[in-house]
Structure formats: structure tokens, C-alpha cells
Amino acid sequence: MPSADADQGRDDATFLSGGTGCAAWVYRPETSSDPGGTTAPAIVMAHGLGCIRDLRLPAYAERFRDAGFVVVVFDYRHFGASDGQPRQFLDIGRQLDDWRSAFAFTRSLTGVDPDRVIAWGTSFSGGHVLTLAGTGERLAGVVAQVPHVSGPAAVRATPLRSAVRLTPAIIGDLWRAARRGEPRYVPLVGKPGEAGAMTSPDADPAVDRLAADSGLKRGDFPEYIAARLLVRIGFYSPIRHARRIACPVLVQIATRDAITPAATARRAAQRMPRGRYLEYPCEHFDPYVDPYFEQIVADQLEFCLSLAGPGA
């Protein structure tokens, strides 16, 4: 049962994925709550690698709600306000299942048109929404912001010194996984050369900015993930499904992206039958904040409204 959060103009809700509770926010436009009104299109959103919904996703969701969309923003199992043990444990298959459960939950909401559901993903979740669209999920469209599309490209983009420093933790965590032990963790971000999942020059300063713009500070949320995931990233390539994506897709590319390389994202978009891409002269984390946020979200709104049809 959703509970009202008047300060944020949204409802708190929970849906089950694999028997575990996933925390969600449900944003509703005024028209969607009118019992005599028409059903509204919906957008489902989740964050990227190891991040929580609090980090700037509300800024997007509020814009979409104000444009007439019902918006569902959720945390994956093991992250943020969602349940699941161990914490900060990222399993690609489980996250894809969380998305499927989120879509089913969204389609079940009163006032939502189940045929007008759009998936919005960013960075690692940008890869998830492409994978889902290319493997049979019924979607009206996809927004993939600075998406992860190629495991090998992501590995090549990882600085050698950081990769070497991560290796002992990865091996240790794989050993613990084989023995069903508790994970060994690595920092989610770090400075160049440090042992971290993301160590581009913009990564660590970006977390400061994302937190500040979200009303948070460093230490308010975990900044680490189970190390075993870093082996699997190299084998996860949503670009393999690009030719089978039937719905319209907007891919937004940061031309100076050091984490999800622009050339690979561009190639993925070109393979999609109904794909289009837009490029922005910025780095991987810049779309979330000014000065690029306004243009990024405006382009997303234009694309989503073109899919929503009358009444949005």
C-alpha cells in the first residue's frame, strides 16, 4: 500500500521481486488521480552502477510528472531503501528481474496505460533497459542516458593501474562467493590510479556534486559494491540485442565519456531499427547536473511526449 509523502509530492510504495521488497516512489500528475480522467503514460526509472534513486533521479522524475507521466523510481534489491542481503550486492540477472517486476507493478497501477510504459536507464541501467527491450519486454520506448553497451569496451576504458589494484579484491570475492561467504567490497569511485570501480578524473568530484545537488553529503549513502561484479561486467554487452529492439530508442551520448565510450554507444544506436542518438560535449556524470541537465531532460521530454500520444 503506497503511503503519501507530501513534502516530495510522491507516494512511497513497495513491490516484490524474487520475493524481496523493492522500494519505489510513485509520482502522479494531477490528471492521473482523477477517477473520471483518461489513463496516463508511465516512465520507469532506476539508477546506474551501485547508485541509489536519491542521487538526482527525483529531478528527472518531477519533470516527467509535470509533463503528464506517472513515474516509478525504484531501488534494486540489495541497494538503497530496498530489502535484500547482502547489501551492495549487484547481480545483473537479479537487476534485470527487478526491472521486469517494476514494469509489472507500474502496469498494475490505477490510472496507468499499460501499453504506454517507457523505460529510462542511465549508465549501467541504460544497458539494462536496452537488454530488456531487445529480449521481449513490451515497451513503448526507451531512454538510455550515457548507457553501458559493451563489456569489452568498458574493460578497455578501465585504467590499467586501477585494474591491477582491484585484482586481489576481485579474486578474494570470487573465492568467498564460491564458499557462499560474505562479499569483499571495493570502492564504487576513486581518484585516478586508485582501486575503484570508476576512477576516471571526473568520477570522484561528480559524486560530491550529485550528493550536494540531491541534498545529501558523502557518507549518507554507501559508496562500495561487491567486487565479484567487476568480472562479469566484461561479459555484459547489451549491444548484442540492439538489432532486435522494436520500440523507439533515444540514446544520449557524452562525447568525452571515459566510462561508457561514446563511439560504442553511437554504434549501438545505429544498429537499432528505430534508434536515434544525441550527443553532448560533456563527461559521463555531467548529464545529471547543470549546465547540461536542462538540455538533457528537455530532449528526453520531447522524445517521451512524442511516444505518449494524446492526453499526456
Side-chain angles (χ1 to χ4, degrees), residues 148-158 233-237 240:
H148 167 89
V149 297
S150 167
V155 171
R156 288 194 297 270
T158 303
I233 285 179
F235 299 96
Y236 183 45
S237 294
R240 295 171 182 165

PDB file of all heavy atoms in Angstrom, residues 148-158 233-237 240:
ATOM      1  N   HIS A 148      25.828   1.901 -20.658  1.00  0.00           N
ATOM      2  CA  HIS A 148      26.792   0.803 -20.805  1.00  0.00           C
ATOM      3  C   HIS A 148      26.265  -0.100 -21.905  1.00  0.00           C
ATOM      4  O   HIS A 148      25.180  -0.670 -21.769  1.00  0.00           O
ATOM      5  CB  HIS A 148      26.903   0.032 -19.494  1.00  0.00           C
ATOM      6  CG  HIS A 148      27.632  -1.276 -19.637  1.00  0.00           C
ATOM      7  ND1 HIS A 148      28.992  -1.387 -19.493  1.00  0.00           N
ATOM      8  CD2 HIS A 148      27.180  -2.531 -19.912  1.00  0.00           C
ATOM      9  CE1 HIS A 148      29.351  -2.655 -19.672  1.00  0.00           C
ATOM     10  NE2 HIS A 148      28.264  -3.363 -19.927  1.00  0.00           N
ATOM     11  N   VAL A 149      27.016  -0.259 -22.983  1.00  0.00           N
ATOM     12  CA  VAL A 149      26.548  -1.113 -24.077  1.00  0.00           C
ATOM     13  C   VAL A 149      27.504  -2.248 -24.407  1.00  0.00           C
ATOM     14  O   VAL A 149      27.115  -3.210 -25.065  1.00  0.00           O
ATOM     15  CB  VAL A 149      26.270  -0.294 -25.361  1.00  0.00           C
ATOM     16  CG1 VAL A 149      25.160   0.713 -25.122  1.00  0.00           C
ATOM     17  CG2 VAL A 149      27.519   0.398 -25.869  1.00  0.00           C
ATOM     18  N   SER A 150      28.756  -2.169 -23.947  1.00  0.00           N
ATOM     19  CA  SER A 150      29.749  -3.177 -24.314  1.00  0.00           C
ATOM     20  C   SER A 150      30.667  -3.480 -23.142  1.00  0.00           C
ATOM     21  O   SER A 150      31.357  -2.591 -22.643  1.00  0.00           O
ATOM     22  CB  SER A 150      30.578  -2.692 -25.508  1.00  0.00           C
ATOM     23  OG  SER A 150      31.713  -3.500 -25.703  1.00  0.00           O
ATOM     24  N   GLY A 151      30.677  -4.753 -22.730  1.00  0.00           N
ATOM     25  CA  GLY A 151      31.593  -5.166 -21.673  1.00  0.00           C
ATOM     26  C   GLY A 151      33.045  -4.980 -22.054  1.00  0.00           C
ATOM     27  O   GLY A 151      33.824  -4.382 -21.293  1.00  0.00           O
ATOM     28  N   PRO A 152      33.480  -5.470 -23.217  1.00  0.00           N
ATOM     29  CA  PRO A 152      34.875  -5.269 -23.611  1.00  0.00           C
ATOM     30  C   PRO A 152      35.272  -3.797 -23.695  1.00  0.00           C
ATOM     31  O   PRO A 152      36.379  -3.431 -23.298  1.00  0.00           O
ATOM     32  CB  PRO A 152      34.943  -5.946 -24.986  1.00  0.00           C
ATOM     33  CG  PRO A 152      33.899  -7.017 -24.919  1.00  0.00           C
ATOM     34  CD  PRO A 152      32.785  -6.411 -24.114  1.00  0.00           C
ATOM     35  N   ALA A 153      34.365  -2.936 -24.187  1.00  0.00           N
ATOM     36  CA  ALA A 153      34.683  -1.505 -24.263  1.00  0.00           C
ATOM     37  C   ALA A 153      34.859  -0.919 -22.864  1.00  0.00           C
ATOM     38  O   ALA A 153      35.745  -0.087 -22.636  1.00  0.00           O
ATOM     39  CB  ALA A 153      33.594  -0.757 -25.012  1.00  0.00           C
ATOM     40  N   ALA A 154      34.032  -1.363 -21.916  1.00  0.00           N
ATOM     41  CA  ALA A 154      34.157  -0.871 -20.539  1.00  0.00           C
ATOM     42  C   ALA A 154      35.476  -1.323 -19.925  1.00  0.00           C
ATOM     43  O   ALA A 154      36.130  -0.559 -19.199  1.00  0.00           O
ATOM     44  CB  ALA A 154      32.983  -1.363 -19.706  1.00  0.00           C
ATOM     45  N   VAL A 155      35.866  -2.557 -20.207  1.00  0.00           N
ATOM     46  CA  VAL A 155      37.142  -3.061 -19.677  1.00  0.00           C
ATOM     47  C   VAL A 155      38.309  -2.268 -20.262  1.00  0.00           C
ATOM     48  O   VAL A 155      39.239  -1.880 -19.546  1.00  0.00           O
ATOM     49  CB  VAL A 155      37.292  -4.561 -19.990  1.00  0.00           C
ATOM     50  CG1 VAL A 155      38.702  -5.042 -19.648  1.00  0.00           C
ATOM     51  CG2 VAL A 155      36.267  -5.369 -19.194  1.00  0.00           C
ATOM     52  N   ARG A 156      38.257  -2.019 -21.568  1.00  0.00           N
ATOM     53  CA  ARG A 156      39.347  -1.257 -22.205  1.00  0.00           C
ATOM     54  C   ARG A 156      39.430   0.162 -21.662  1.00  0.00           C
ATOM     55  O   ARG A 156      40.510   0.762 -21.633  1.00  0.00           O
ATOM     56  CB  ARG A 156      39.139  -1.219 -23.718  1.00  0.00           C
ATOM     57  CG  ARG A 156      39.389  -2.548 -24.412  1.00  0.00           C
ATOM     58  CD  ARG A 156      39.492  -2.362 -25.917  1.00  0.00           C
ATOM     59  NE  ARG A 156      38.254  -1.870 -26.501  1.00  0.00           N
ATOM     60  CZ  ARG A 156      37.260  -2.635 -26.952  1.00  0.00           C
ATOM     61  NH1 ARG A 156      37.360  -3.964 -26.861  1.00  0.00           N
ATOM     62  NH2 ARG A 156      36.179  -2.113 -27.478  1.00  0.00           N
ATOM     63  N   ALA A 157      38.295   0.704 -21.222  1.00  0.00           N
ATOM     64  CA  ALA A 157      38.279   2.070 -20.698  1.00  0.00           C
ATOM     65  C   ALA A 157      38.796   2.147 -19.265  1.00  0.00           C
ATOM     66  O   ALA A 157      39.055   3.248 -18.758  1.00  0.00           O
ATOM     67  CB  ALA A 157      36.864   2.640 -20.763  1.00  0.00           C
ATOM     68  N   THR A 158      38.955   1.009 -18.598  1.00  0.00           N
ATOM     69  CA  THR A 158      39.444   0.997 -17.219  1.00  0.00           C
ATOM     70  C   THR A 158      40.959   1.166 -17.204  1.00  0.00           C
ATOM     71  O   THR A 158      41.682   0.385 -17.822  1.00  0.00           O
ATOM     72  CB  THR A 158      39.078  -0.328 -16.533  1.00  0.00           C
ATOM     73  OG1 THR A 158      37.664  -0.516 -16.580  1.00  0.00           O
ATOM     74  CG2 THR A 158      39.544  -0.328 -15.074  1.00  0.00           C
ATOM     75  N   ILE A 233      31.140  -7.656 -15.589  1.00  0.00           N
ATOM     76  CA  ILE A 233      30.898  -6.502 -16.463  1.00  0.00           C
ATOM     77  C   ILE A 233      31.483  -6.739 -17.846  1.00  0.00           C
ATOM     78  O   ILE A 233      30.887  -6.386 -18.868  1.00  0.00           O
ATOM     79  CB  ILE A 233      31.477  -5.219 -15.832  1.00  0.00           C
ATOM     80  CG1 ILE A 233      30.589  -4.750 -14.679  1.00  0.00           C
ATOM     81  CG2 ILE A 233      31.603  -4.102 -16.871  1.00  0.00           C
ATOM     82  CD1 ILE A 233      31.094  -3.514 -13.974  1.00  0.00           C
ATOM     83  N   GLY A 234      32.661  -7.339 -17.899  1.00  0.00           N
ATOM     84  CA  GLY A 234      33.317  -7.562 -19.185  1.00  0.00           C
ATOM     85  C   GLY A 234      32.563  -8.475 -20.120  1.00  0.00           C
ATOM     86  O   GLY A 234      32.807  -8.481 -21.334  1.00  0.00           O
ATOM     87  N   PHE A 235      31.625  -9.245 -19.574  1.00  0.00           N
ATOM     88  CA  PHE A 235      30.842 -10.177 -20.399  1.00  0.00           C
ATOM     89  C   PHE A 235      29.425  -9.673 -20.667  1.00  0.00           C
ATOM     90  O   PHE A 235      28.643 -10.373 -21.320  1.00  0.00           O
ATOM     91  CB  PHE A 235      30.779 -11.547 -19.706  1.00  0.00           C
ATOM     92  CG  PHE A 235      32.114 -12.185 -19.514  1.00  0.00           C
ATOM     93  CD1 PHE A 235      32.788 -12.061 -18.313  1.00  0.00           C
ATOM     94  CD2 PHE A 235      32.726 -12.888 -20.555  1.00  0.00           C
ATOM     95  CE1 PHE A 235      34.041 -12.650 -18.131  1.00  0.00           C
ATOM     96  CE2 PHE A 235      33.977 -13.461 -20.388  1.00  0.00           C
ATOM     97  CZ  PHE A 235      34.628 -13.353 -19.172  1.00  0.00           C
ATOM     98  N   TYR A 236      29.116  -8.503 -20.163  1.00  0.00           N
ATOM     99  CA  TYR A 236      27.754  -7.964 -20.300  1.00  0.00           C
ATOM    100  C   TYR A 236      27.733  -6.900 -21.395  1.00  0.00           C
ATOM    101  O   TYR A 236      28.232  -5.790 -21.200  1.00  0.00           O
ATOM    102  CB  TYR A 236      27.302  -7.371 -18.975  1.00  0.00           C
ATOM    103  CG  TYR A 236      25.880  -6.845 -18.977  1.00  0.00           C
ATOM    104  CD1 TYR A 236      24.832  -7.567 -19.538  1.00  0.00           C
ATOM    105  CD2 TYR A 236      25.583  -5.609 -18.388  1.00  0.00           C
ATOM    106  CE1 TYR A 236      23.538  -7.087 -19.521  1.00  0.00           C
ATOM    107  CE2 TYR A 236      24.290  -5.122 -18.363  1.00  0.00           C
ATOM    108  CZ  TYR A 236      23.268  -5.862 -18.932  1.00  0.00           C
ATOM    109  OH  TYR A 236      21.980  -5.386 -18.916  1.00  0.00           O
ATOM    110  N   SER A 237      27.140  -7.230 -22.524  1.00  0.00           N
ATOM    111  CA  SER A 237      27.155  -6.349 -23.692  1.00  0.00           C
ATOM    112  C   SER A 237      25.750  -6.199 -24.267  1.00  0.00           C
ATOM    113  O   SER A 237      25.336  -6.954 -25.164  1.00  0.00           O
ATOM    114  CB  SER A 237      28.108  -6.883 -24.765  1.00  0.00           C
ATOM    115  OG  SER A 237      29.447  -6.834 -24.320  1.00  0.00           O
ATOM    116  N   ARG A 240      24.535  -6.448 -28.070  1.00  0.00           N
ATOM    117  CA  ARG A 240      24.193  -7.687 -28.773  1.00  0.00           C
ATOM    118  C   ARG A 240      22.706  -7.770 -29.111  1.00  0.00           C
ATOM    119  O   ARG A 240      22.307  -8.490 -30.027  1.00  0.00           O
ATOM    120  CB  ARG A 240      24.588  -8.892 -27.916  1.00  0.00           C
ATOM    121  CG  ARG A 240      26.085  -9.021 -27.686  1.00  0.00           C
ATOM    122  CD  ARG A 240      26.379 -10.093 -26.652  1.00  0.00           C
ATOM    123  NE  ARG A 240      27.817 -10.207 -26.379  1.00  0.00           N
ATOM    124  CZ  ARG A 240      28.332 -10.846 -25.343  1.00  0.00           C
ATOM    125  NH1 ARG A 240      27.518 -11.459 -24.476  1.00  0.00           N
ATOM    126  NH2 ARG A 240      29.630 -10.897 -25.157  1.00  0.00           N
TER     127      ARG A 240
END
